[in-house]
Structures are given as C-alpha cells and as structure tokens.
Amino acid sequence: MSIEIRDLCFGYCTREVLRKVSFSALEGQILAVLGPNGVGKTTLFRCILGLQSRYSGSIEVDGVDAHTLTARELAHRVAYIPQTHGMAFSYSVLDMVLMGTTHNVAMMSVPKARELDAANTALVRMGIANLSEKNFSHLSGGEQQLVLIARALAQNTKTLLMDEPTASLDYGNQSLVLQQVRALADDGYTILLSTHNPQHAIWYADSVLALFNGTVAAFGQSREVVNTALIRTLYGVDATLIETTHGPLISPVIEGDNNR
Amino acid sequence: MGIILLVVFLLSFSIGRYGVPVSEVIRIFISRVFPMKQTWTAEMATVVLNIRLPRIVMACLVGCALSAAGASYQGVFQNPMASPDILGASSGAAFGAALAILLGGSMRIITLAAFASSLVTVMAVYLIAQRAPGLRVVNLILAGIMVGSLFTAGTSYIKLVADPTNQLPAITYWMMGSLSGSKLKQVVFVIVPIALGLIPLILIRWQVNILTLGDEEARTLGVNTSRLRLVVILCATLITAASVSVSGMIGWVGLVIPHLCRKLVGNNYRYLLPASMIAGAIFLLIVDNVSRNLLAVEIPIGILTAFIGAPFFIYLIAKREKTL
C-alpha cells in the first residue's frame, strides 16, 4: 500500500476544506479523484506533497508518516505532475526531465551520467526521445504533459500524483496521455489523478475517490462507484449510463433532445 | 569564451596613453616567473605591473561579480528583469558605502556597510513584491525603483552633510562608478568576499534551475526552497556589495550580460552562470578600456555602461514574452 490516508482534516482559518477524509491507493492502480471545482482536490494533493503541513489526521507514504519526511525524502517517494504552465525561463526537454533527478543530486553538484541515463530512459519510455533537444515552451500542450510525466519517471518514485493531466488538452491528446498513464499503472506505479471527466475515471481508473463538500462522497471500484446518483450529487446534473461492450458510457441528459 | 577573455586581457595591457607592445607585455609577465633577457624599458614594466594590472584584474572581477549576481537574482526571483540595479541592491550598497565614507570608515567598514545596507534593500524589495497583489514581475521592478530611490535620497542627504572639500568629491566621483583608483591592495581585499559569494553560487547552480520552476514545483522535486533562496540572495548580494564598494555604481552589467548569455548558451544555469561570469569580465574590461582611452579625460565607466544598458532594457521590455 503506497498511500494511506486516515481522518485527514484541513481548514483555512474559518473554512474547513477537508473533513475526515480517509482512503488508500494501491500499487499498480489508478485512483481518480472526482469532485466539483473548489471541493478540495488540490488541497488534498498539496497535503500529500507536503506543501500544506497544518492538517490533522495521518498521511502515510510507503508506510512512513509524511509529516516526518523532508522535501528531499518525500521526493524519493512521490512525484508530482503539475498541469502545464508558462515559465519565466524555458529549458530544453532534456533539461526539464533531468530536473526530476534533482533529489538524487547532492546540493553542490550537477546531474551526472547516471541521472542522464535515467532522463533518457524516461524520454524513451514516454516515446518522446525525438523531442529531447527541443525547447519545452515551443511544444504542444500534449507534448508538454508527456515531458512532465517523463520528468516524474526520471524522479524514480513508485507513486505519481497528477493534477488534472487532461485539462487543456485536445481530444486526441487526452487519450494519448491517459493511455500512457494506464500503461504506467500496469507497470506497477501507484497513480493518483484528479479529473473533471467521470468518463475518464470509468475508462482508465481502477478506483474512484469522490469528494463533495470536503468529505468523501464515495470511494471504491470505479465501475461500482460512478453512477447517475453520484453524478447528480457531485455536479448537480442528470446523466444516463449506457452499457456498451467497452464498459459504461456516461451521457448528460440533454433537455429538449427531441426537438433537434 | 575563455580564449576571448585571455586575448582581451592581454590586449588591455598594451592599450593606453603609454603604449606597450603585446609581445613586451607577455615577456614582462613571463620574466616574473622565469628569468629572461630584458627587452623592455623600466617604465613599461611599471605601467604594466603597477598601474594596469590592478585595474584590469579589478575590471574582470567586478564585471564577473555583477553579471553573476544578475543571473542569480533572475533565477531566485523567477524574473528575467531582475538585476542588482533594478532590485535596488546597488543603490542600497551605495548608501551604506557613502554613510561609511561620511563616518570615515576604513575599506573594510565600507564594504561591510555596503553589504548590510544592500541586503536590507533586496529583502525589502522582495517582501514588498511578494505581498503586493498583481503581476510579480512588475511588482518586483516597481518595488525596486521605490526602495532604490529611497536609498538614493538617503545618499543625497549624506552628500549634503558631507565635508565638501574631501568627502563630497570622493562620494560623488565614486557614485559615478570608476575603476581608475584601483590598487593592488584593493584587489586583494575585494577578492575575498567576491570568492566567498561566487563559489557557493557556482556549486549550487543546478539547483537554481529548479527554483525558476516556482516554489511548489521545486519543493515536490525535493528542493528546500526557502533555504536555497536565502543562500542565493545572500551570495549574490555579497558579491554586488563587494564590487560596488570598490568600483562605485556600475549599472546594467547584471542585466545585459546574463541576457546575452541566455541567448548564447540557453537558460540552464549549469552553463549560464559560468558563461555570464566570463562574458561579464570581457564586457567590463572592454568598456573600461574605452573609458580610459576614448577621451583625454577619463569617462567614469558607470556612465558608459548606462549608455549601453538603458537602450538594452527598453529592447527587453519591448521583446518580453506575453506570459510575464
């Protein structure tokens, strides 16, 4: 069990953001975190990543209390894949991926052959070795996301945290990225990802954590948990579930459908 | 780049009112280590070793320090516009140094005062820019201008109350930035703080890359961001203050040179920092040669760098990317 969270509570001043959140993420599985905007998905991730430390309850990473780990020690265990974003200075793809190895590099040193190997392996694994010399900021959103995943692989951790990996990607790139993520889970990585698309959770995730009003609305196998009632609770919209040979398809109920 | 520096370094010895052929310059240097037949005059040796050597070494040191400080500030503040002068570090150092001159402090006191006051300025600018709402890049520049002008006003007041026969000319001329008074003693004195600041910066240059990604991302990559940022700011401020205390206000080097180097070698600090240091040394050495040879009267070097730097800054503002 790589991530185990018990009774996590967190509040900013007066407002409680997370209340008694408990769940666990298993090795080789994708756990999708669902919930409307502002429900505390980001806060949850920030707590796990050690960016927010004033929470109560416990977060265990590989059986160790995350509170007791330094930033460097935590970086040995958990890699974070942010959404693509603009940067003050842009680097080559290889340099970006090399940065993932920083926790293995002494403070007063630079990455050596071993780190370069790890970076190149990660690039090959994501199928973007040809981009290695390109400038990161000149890549498409999908390519940038793959580079950030490659950076996390170069970090050589067992657990990956992804903040809405498909946000701001086009339809084709969404599938491309999610298929790569699925392949990583099948290779034994533990993956936590937040998403706004319940369909992605059904297709790609093994289990689902649904957050609503700071508490766990549902937690379990994705095909059992995601249903029309949950969609109604989380997002306030009516949906229908259509069983197909590729698993269930979710479609929102479109009013006045017959008139078109 | 290293070769260019060496060539400019040697050529600089031969340029001047009193011309010395480059071949003689090389011979004079070699003769200090290996005994050889004297083909130069005694005046040549005096000019090269006692007058030009300290000044040329000083130009290289100051150029290298200011440029490295600029590159480092840009990294920790994730801001391509940061530089010792924009952040007010130079005016802070100037205030501290002017105060020390007023109180009749020794060289060591002047440097310490420059460092302390420069550090206060950078920290104040950083805190103001952090707290204020809006674009951080713009905030940092605005805060730098405000705090910098506050310290400039302080310096003006010091000039007002300074003794007009001795202290005032010293402060005023020193504010314009000049390397003309460089003595070997000063070089030896300033080399210590500059080395103390530069060596850690070179050692941790890879980590500065991670800081430019932003604090949160840097921490998830295993970097202790607050400690690292503090170390970089302290080192960059130390070398700025040290160079300001011996050379006065030489502006723009810390902005222009790192940018040219970003174009040449990219943004990776592993290569950017050494490149900036060498290019800074070359740049200031060339400008100093111009400053002492262009006219019969020496032009303070700070005036020349401003003539080059200000148009470059305008170019940067016009060309900067939309995301900033």
Side-chain angles (χ1 to χ4, degrees):
Chain A
M1 195 156 303
S2 15
I3 299 257
E4 166 103 55
I5 289 175
R6 274 183 239 105
D7 294 335
L8 182 71
C9 299
F10 181 87
Y12 292 105
C13 304
T14 52
R15 202 168 68 89
E16 209 168 25
V17 181
L18 294 172
R19 245 178 303 140
K20 295 246 172 209
V21 173
S22 303
F23 66 92
S24 52
L26 299 171
E27 227 173 277
Q29 296 208 341
I30 297 178
L31 172 66
V33 183
L34 284 178
N37 283 331
V39 77
K41 296 194 292 284
T42 307
T43 309
L44 173 66
F45 278 17
R46 288 171 54 86
C47 289
I48 299 173
L49 291 166
L51 301 174
Q52 287 288 2
S53 53
R54 273 178 289 173
Y55 56 81
S56 64
S58 81
I59 297 177
E60 277 186 13
V61 181
D62 298 333
V64 185
D65 185 359
H67 250 316
T68 64
L69 297 173
T70 63
R72 189 178 274 259
E73 288 167 341
L74 199 59
H76 281 305
R77 296 174 162 83
V78 181
Y80 173 58
I81 298 157
Q83 292 183 34
T84 59
H85 54 85
M87 297 185 300
F89 303 108
S90 70
Y91 296 90
S92 76
V93 166
L94 183 63
D95 284 340
M96 273 302 272
V97 175
L98 263 178
M99 289 188 204
T101 65
T102 301
H103 65 104
N104 283 324
V105 177
M107 178 146 178
M108 302 204 171
S109 182
V110 293
K112 302 265 163 54
R114 187 173 55 117
E115 283 75 32
L116 199 64
D117 266 358
N120 280 319
T121 312
L123 283 169
V124 170
R125 174 75 179 79
M126 296 312 291
I128 48 172
N130 56 320
L131 300 180
S132 145
E133 297 303 318
K134 291 254 168 63
N135 188 326
F136 180 77
S137 60
H138 295 167
L139 302 181
S140 73
E143 289 170 331
Q144 290 188 342
Q145 193 69 54
L146 292 178
V147 172
L148 292 175
I149 298 176
R151 186 178 76 186
L153 297 187
Q155 204 172 330
N156 198 18
T157 61
K158 271 164 55 188
T159 305
L160 308 178
L161 248 67
M162 312 178 98
D163 188 12
E164 290 174 30
T166 55
S168 75
L169 295 189
D170 66 39
Y171 193 76
N173 276 321
Q174 291 187 5
S175 307
L176 177 74
V177 167
L178 286 171
Q179 268 161 25
Q180 291 278 17
V181 173
R182 183 66 249 176
L184 291 174
D186 295 339
D187 282 355
Y189 282 94
T190 308
I191 295 168
L192 254 79
L193 60 84
S194 62
T195 175
H196 279 305
N197 193 335
Q199 187 67 60
H200 286 163
I202 293 181
W203 277 338
Y204 298 101
D206 299 285
S207 46
V208 162
L209 173 75
L211 292 178
F212 189 68
N213 274 343
T215 56
V216 177
F219 173 59
Q221 297 287 309
S222 55
R223 293 202 179 177
E224 289 166 16
V225 169
V226 180
N227 53 37
T228 50
L230 183 74
I231 306 274
R232 171 88 227 162
T233 320
L234 295 184
Y235 304 108
V237 291
D238 290 316
T240 51
L241 218 62
I242 307 153
E243 286 296 337
T244 72
T245 45
H246 299 288
L249 273 180
I250 299 171
S251 165
V253 175
I254 299 164
E255 282 175 40
D257 219 3
N258 300 331
N259 299 340
R260 276 196 296 169
Chain B
M1 252 177 153
I3 296 165
I4 301 176
L5 177 60
L6 192 69
V7 170
V8 177
F9 186 77
L10 287 174
L11 279 179
S12 302
F13 283 99
S14 63
I15 308 170
R17 282 290 198 64
Y18 189 91
V20 182
V22 179
S23 58
E24 296 299 326
V25 172
I26 297 172
R27 281 160 164 277
I28 291 171
F29 276 119
I30 295 174
S31 75
R32 306 299 290 184
V33 189
F34 305 105
M36 63 191 295
K37 202 168 134 256
Q38 186 165 350
T39 54
W40 56 91
T41 62
E43 287 84 12
M44 282 186 183
T46 314
V47 167
V48 167
L49 293 175
N50 295 351
I51 300 175
R52 291 193 190 148
L53 178 66
R55 177 156 186 171
I56 286 168
V57 172
M58 190 68 101
C60 292
L61 272 178
V62 170
C64 167
L66 290 176
S67 173
S72 308
Y73 282 134
Q74 288 165 12
V76 283
F77 296 119
Q78 300 150 44
N79 191 330
M81 299 285 178
S83 76
D85 18 350
I86 304 276
L87 285 171
S90 302
S91 18
F95 173 78
L99 191 65
I101 294 177
L102 179 74
L103 301 175
S106 68
M107 195 63 204
R108 184 162 300 152
I109 303 286
I110 293 176
T111 308
L112 278 177
F115 175 63
S117 141
S118 176
L119 193 63
V120 168
T121 324
V122 175
M123 288 299 178
V125 168
Y126 178 55
L127 289 177
I128 293 169
Q130 281 271 302
R131 300 269 185 285
L135 283 172
R136 280 183 58 190
V137 179
V138 179
N139 281 342
L140 200 69
I141 296 173
L142 291 180
I145 293 170
M146 294 312 145
V147 178
S149 69
L150 201 65
F151 276 86
T152 307
T155 312
S156 297
Y157 183 74
I158 290 175
K159 282 162 134 181
L160 187 71
V161 297
D163 163 23
T165 48
N166 294 319
Q167 293 171 333
L168 186 58
I171 296 175
T172 307
Y173 192 67
W174 175 84
M175 295 278 298
M176 290 181 207
S178 174
L179 296 163
S180 62
S182 303
K183 307 235 167 29
L184 207 58
K185 219 176 74 189
Q186 276 180 312
V187 173
V188 174
F189 172 79
V190 80
I191 216 163
V192 176
I194 288 185
L196 274 179
L198 272 182
I199 291 169
L201 283 179
I202 293 171
L203 288 174
I204 59 175
R205 66 190 192 279
W206 171 257
Q207 307 258 335
V208 177
N209 285 327
I210 319 291
L211 271 187
T212 68
L213 298 176
D215 267 32
E216 305 218 323
E217 215 169 313
R219 274 167 67 188
T220 66
L221 290 170
V223 170
N224 183 338
T225 49
S226 40
R227 190 181 62 187
L228 182 63
R229 171 167 292 121
L230 188 69
V231 170
V232 176
I233 291 178
L234 281 178
C235 291
T237 307
L238 177 64
I239 57 181
T240 304
S243 25
V244 170
S245 67
V246 288
S247 69
M249 301 266 279
I250 298 178
W252 301 103
V253 180
L255 181 74
V256 176
I257 300 303
H259 269 282
L260 289 178
C261 291
R262 284 180 194 282
K263 291 262 184 306
L264 283 175
V265 302
N267 288 323
N268 187 342
Y269 275 81
R270 185 173 180 177
Y271 309 108
L272 176 66
L273 195 65
S276 299
M277 289 166 58
I278 296 173
I282 296 174
F283 173 77
L284 210 61
L285 196 51
I286 293 176
V287 177
D288 188 46
N289 285 338
V290 173
S291 111
R292 66 192 167 96
N293 291 310
L294 189 64
L295 301 175
V297 182
E298 178 167 335
I299 312 165
I301 192 169
I303 296 177
L304 285 178
T305 57
F307 274 129
I308 299 169
F312 185 82
F313 188 64
I314 295 169
Y315 163 79
L316 263 189
I317 290 175
K319 282 278 284 186
R320 76 191 151 132
E321 286 174 33
K322 286 199 186 73
T323 50
L324 298 174

